[in-house]
């Protein structure tokens, strides 16, 4: 099953709340951004990679044609065009229909250029991991956004659930520019947004009567850890965090490397968790199902 097919299998747009529809909308945006950004990174690396391969081939050809005689750096200078001419143009399409520029480089210059291109390519090869970290942060933000909006929808449909021992000051009531119910819902959602993952899970179990499965909670714990490392520590891993990382996550120069396959699987798994939760909320708390367009088109 492809990534797109797995996403489609994990969702059912027209049997869920507006909160879920918004979540799915953002998942689609993340998926599109992942595809287009990855394609762009691949395009960017092609030209430097081709240049590096050509120089390496030419350098090998030069060494075969001119074995080292112990000449000095300056005496070893040769023209790149001469090296290009040593290849059969039929077997090397990069020489076809292209304007060439002839320059002279010493052996040391060629070696130095190769090292610089290799370093640039190595740096470029790590860019997808930075992209994946950014998208993982966005994915978690989308999840938290769903939870907050779902809570607001549940309380709107069931205002009696707002009853609690929490105090409200007269100053707050006098300064309201909305209804008391709207104020209490907003305060509830705001308090929820400041919770850790464990705090959110406890709130959801106590107030929404929904419990994450053990495997789901384990997955969320790992995703939450990666999100915190990427968002709050620029991807750098502390020593005591290394043993907590999922097995697919590598570490390079003390920074996490999130593979694309892990990010794609996380999108699918998180979508499935949200779908299951939303189905429960719609059935248990009678949250309205959004059947029409997600956004209203301006007239």
């Amino acid at each position: 099953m492809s990534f797109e097919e797995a996403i489609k299998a994990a969702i059912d747009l027209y049997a869920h709340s507006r909160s879920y529809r918004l979540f799915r909308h953002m998942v689609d945006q993340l998926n599109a951004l992942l595809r287009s950004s990855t394609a762009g990174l691949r395009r960017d690396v092609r030209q430097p990679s081709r240049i590096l391969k050509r120089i390496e081939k030419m350098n090998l050809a030069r060494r075969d044609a001119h074995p080292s005689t112990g000449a000095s750096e300056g005496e070893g200078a040769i023209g790149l065009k001469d090296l290009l001419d040593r290849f059969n143009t039929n077997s090397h399409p990069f020489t076809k229909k292209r304007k060439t520029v002839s320059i002279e480089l010493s052996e040391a210059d060629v070696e130095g250029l190769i090292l610089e291109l290799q370093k640039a390519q190595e740096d470029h090869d790590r860019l997808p991991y930075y992209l994946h970290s950014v998208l993982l942060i966005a994915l978690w933000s989308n999840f938290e956004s769903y939870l907050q909006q779902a809570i607001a929808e549940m309380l709107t449909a069931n205002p009696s659930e707002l009853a609690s021992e929490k105090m409200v000051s007269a100053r707050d009531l006098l300064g309201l520019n909305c209804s008391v119910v709207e104020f209490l819902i907003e305060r509830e959602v705001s308090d929820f947004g400041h919770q850790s993952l464990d705090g959110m899970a406890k709130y959801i179990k106590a107030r929404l009567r929904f419990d994450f499965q053990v495997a789901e909670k384990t997955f969320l714990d790992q995703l939450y850890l990666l999100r915190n490392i990427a968002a709050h520590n620029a991807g750098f891993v502390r020593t005591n965090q290394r043993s907590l990382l999922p097995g697919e996550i590598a570490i390079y120069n003390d920074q996490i490397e999130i593979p694309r396959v892990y990010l794609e699987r996380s999108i699918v798994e998180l979508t499935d968790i949200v779908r299951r939760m939303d189905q429960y909320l719609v059935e248990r708390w009678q949250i309205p199902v959004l059947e029409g367009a997600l956004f209203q088109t301006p007239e």
Side-chain angles (χ1 to χ4, degrees):
M1 180 181 292
S2 69
F3 176 54
E4 288 76 15
E5 290 171 338
I7 280 289
K8 290 178 181 179
I11 61 174
D12 177 9
L13 280 182
Y14 297 101
H16 293 281
S17 67
R18 185 175 189 275
S19 300
Y20 181 86
R21 293 280 299 278
L22 285 169
F23 174 85
R24 165 62 201 278
H25 172 73
M26 290 308 302
V27 164
D28 287 345
Q29 299 302 310
L30 288 175
N31 185 26
L33 183 58
L34 176 60
R35 289 199 309 268
S36 61
S37 299
T38 301
L41 288 172
R42 287 172 179 167
R43 283 195 301 270
D44 288 346
V45 79
R46 284 174 189 166
Q47 183 64 16
S49 179
R50 282 198 297 264
I51 294 173
L52 178 58
K53 289 178 181 178
R54 289 166 63 184
I55 292 177
E56 288 175 337
K57 288 179 179 178
M58 289 185 291
N59 200 30
L60 289 173
R62 184 200 62 77
R63 290 177 178 175
D64 292 340
H66 302 282
S68 176
T69 58
S72 66
E73 178 179 317
E75 293 171 338
I78 62 171
L80 288 183
K81 187 175 184 302
D82 294 336
L83 295 179
L84 283 170
D85 291 340
R86 297 181 184 277
F87 292 96
N88 184 328
T89 57
N90 291 326
S91 61
H92 294 275
F94 60 78
T95 63
K96 291 182 179 181
K97 298 180 182 179
R98 290 193 179 186
K99 294 181 179 179
T100 60
V101 177
S102 179
I103 61 174
E104 288 192 351
L105 295 174
S106 68
E107 179 179 350
D109 290 335
V110 172
E111 295 291 345
L113 183 57
I114 290 175
L115 290 176
E116 288 299 321
L117 285 171
Q118 287 175 335
K119 179 62 169 62
Q121 185 167 342
E122 179 183 337
D123 291 341
H124 191 285
D125 288 345
R126 297 207 67 246
L127 291 181
Y129 297 115
Y130 291 105
L131 170 67
H132 300 163
S133 291
V134 171
L135 294 182
L136 186 138
I137 294 171
L139 176 63
W140 186 265
S141 175
N142 189 26
F143 175 59
E144 287 194 356
S145 177
Y146 165 76
L147 295 178
Q148 293 181 30
Q149 292 178 64
I151 290 171
E153 286 194 90
M154 188 279 282
L155 294 174
T156 299
N158 303 270
S160 61
E161 292 296 319
L162 286 166
S164 70
E165 300 300 322
K166 291 182 179 180
M167 302 295 294
V168 179
S169 69
R171 185 186 303 277
D172 289 336
L173 292 176
L174 292 173
L176 290 182
N177 56 4
C178 59
S179 70
V180 174
V181 170
E182 289 174 329
F183 167 78
L184 293 176
I185 291 174
E186 178 60 31
R187 188 179 69 170
E188 197 77 11
V189 171
S190 178
D191 290 345
F192 176 84
H194 291 87
Q195 300 276 357
S196 65
L197 175 59
D198 286 339
M200 289 189 290
K202 290 177 182 177
Y203 179 96
I204 290 170
K205 183 176 181 178
R207 299 298 299 272
L208 304 185
R209 321 290 199 274
F210 177 85
D211 202 5
F212 294 114
Q213 298 171 358
V214 175
E216 291 175 339
K217 184 57 167 59
T218 299
F219 163 73
L220 291 174
D221 284 336
Q222 293 180 336
L223 197 64
Y224 184 61
L225 173 64
L226 292 175
R227 174 263 185 187
N228 286 343
I229 292 173
H232 300 305
N233 205 33
F236 288 98
V237 187
R238 297 197 302 271
T239 302
N240 63 345
Q241 294 175 323
R242 293 179 178 244
S243 62
L244 304 176
L245 296 176
E248 304 95 319
I249 306 302
I251 299 176
Y252 179 87
N253 288 343
D254 294 330
Q255 279 186 303
I256 55 173
E257 287 189 337
I258 300 174
R260 175 170 178 166
V261 65
Y262 180 87
L263 178 61
E264 290 178 338
R265 189 172 70 250
S266 296
I267 293 173
V268 173
E269 291 188 24
L270 193 60
T271 300
D272 191 53
I273 291 173
V274 173
R275 176 190 55 79
R276 187 176 77 85
M277 180 176 180
D278 201 71
Q279 286 179 333
Y280 167 84
L281 294 178
V282 169
E283 295 172 3
R284 171 66 174 80
W285 296 105
Q286 301 301 304
I287 293 178
V289 171
L290 180 63
E291 297 179 348
L294 179 57
F295 302 109
Q296 298 298 323
T297 304
E299 296 182 358

